[in-house]
Amino acid sequence: MEDERSFSDICGGRLALQRRYYSPSCREFCLSCPRLSLRSLTAVTCTVWLAAYGLFTLCENSMILSAAIFITLLGLLGYLHFVKIDQETLLIIDSLGIQMTSSYASGKESTTFIEMGKVKDVVINEAIYMKVIYYLCILLKDPMEPHGISQVVPVFQVSTEQLSKVFSPKKICYLSPFSAFLLLLMFSRNVNSSCQDYLRTPDSYF
C-alpha cells in the first residue's frame, strides 16, 4: 500500500511525503525535498563574482578573481555534499528498530539505525528559526540512568514546515500537519492514547 501527500516548508518549498506499508509491522516514510534551484545557484554565483570583480577593479590583483572561482566551486561542492538533502527515508520495523537514511544532492547517503529497545519516547521539540518551529524528535534512553535521556534525535531534518493550530482540552498548541500526521501514524505504539484523541489536523487523513 502506498500513498503520497504534500506539505510546505518554512520557505514555501514543496515537501512530498510517501507512505509505504510492507506489512503490519513494517512501514516506510519517504520525504522528498525541492531540488537545487538553478535560479538561486546563478544568483549566488553572480553575486560572488561581481563582488570579486569589484575588488579586482580596486586592487588590480588577478588573484582575487582566481580565489572567487575557487571559493565558489568549493562552496558548491560542500553545500551539495554536506547540506543539501534531496530525500529522507524512515523505515520502521516494530520488533527491530528505526532506520533513518538521508540522501544528499551529491549522491552521498547517511544512514542511522536506532534499536527499538533504546527508544524512550517520541516528542515534539521546539526551536527558533526566524520564528518558532516544531518538529518530531526521538528520545533515546540513557543506559546508566533508567529515567534519563541520552540523546535527542530529530526524525526529519528538513521538515520545518508551515504551522497550523491544533486544539487540546488543556491549551492551544501549535503543531504542523506533517508532525501530527507522523506522530500518530509512525509511532502510535509510543504515544499515549489520550493524546491520539486530541491531536488532529484540519487536513489529516482521519
Side-chain angles (χ1 to χ4, degrees):
M1 178 181 176
E2 179 177 341
D3 55 28
E4 182 174 336
R5 190 138 189 232
S6 297
F7 297 88
S8 298
D9 60 19
I10 58 175
C11 299
R14 181 178 178 274
L15 300 175
L17 177 68
Q18 291 181 331
R19 296 187 301 170
R20 301 186 183 98
Y21 288 95
Y22 301 109
S23 70
S25 61
C26 180
R27 49 207 182 276
E28 183 180 47
F29 297 83
C30 181
L31 182 67
S32 299
C33 314
R35 298 288 180 175
L36 181 63
S37 171
L38 182 60
R39 180 182 300 178
S40 300
L41 178 61
T42 303
V44 172
T45 303
C46 290
T47 301
V48 173
W49 287 5
L50 285 175
Y53 185 75
L55 291 175
F56 169 74
T57 303
L58 294 175
C59 303
E60 296 184 356
N61 188 348
S62 61
M63 289 296 295
I64 295 177
L65 298 179
S66 301
I69 296 174
F70 178 76
I71 291 173
T72 303
L73 293 177
L74 192 62
L76 178 60
L77 290 175
Y79 177 76
L80 296 177
H81 195 69
F82 297 106
V83 178
K84 182 65 177 75
I85 297 177
D86 281 344
Q87 182 175 288
E88 289 186 282
T89 303
L90 189 72
L91 179 63
I92 303 174
I93 304 176
D94 291 347
S95 59
L96 188 59
I98 302 170
Q99 177 176 289
M100 298 182 292
T101 303
S102 299
S103 301
Y104 292 82
S106 64
K108 168 191 169 185
E109 285 193 355
S110 175
T111 302
T112 302
F113 181 79
I114 302 174
E115 295 180 12
M116 195 61 73
K118 295 182 178 180
V119 177
K120 179 178 179 64
D121 205 348
V122 180
V123 299
I124 300 171
N125 201 17
E126 179 183 272
I128 297 177
Y129 181 82
M130 308 295 285
K131 62 179 180 180
V132 179
I133 59 175
Y134 299 83
Y135 57 95
L136 283 178
C137 287
I138 301 174
L139 303 182
L140 302 185
K141 298 177 182 177
D142 189 343
M144 305 300 296
E145 187 177 346
H147 300 289
I149 299 172
S150 64
Q151 190 176 355
V152 178
V153 182
V155 175
F156 285 115
Q157 299 182 38
V158 295
S159 64
T160 51
E161 60 291 300
Q162 295 175 347
L163 305 178
S164 64
K165 290 184 180 179
V166 176
F167 296 88
S168 72
K170 296 183 179 179
K171 63 180 181 178
I172 296 177
C173 59
Y174 289 88
L175 180 67
S176 66
F178 181 76
S179 295
F181 169 71
L182 289 179
L183 184 63
L184 291 172
L185 293 184
M186 291 164 34
F187 303 102
S188 58
R189 296 190 179 184
N190 299 81
V191 180
N192 187 291
S193 59
S194 61
C195 295
Q196 297 185 27
D197 295 334
Y198 300 117
L199 285 176
R200 293 292 184 268
T201 61
D203 52 351
S204 65
Y205 276 101
F206 311 105

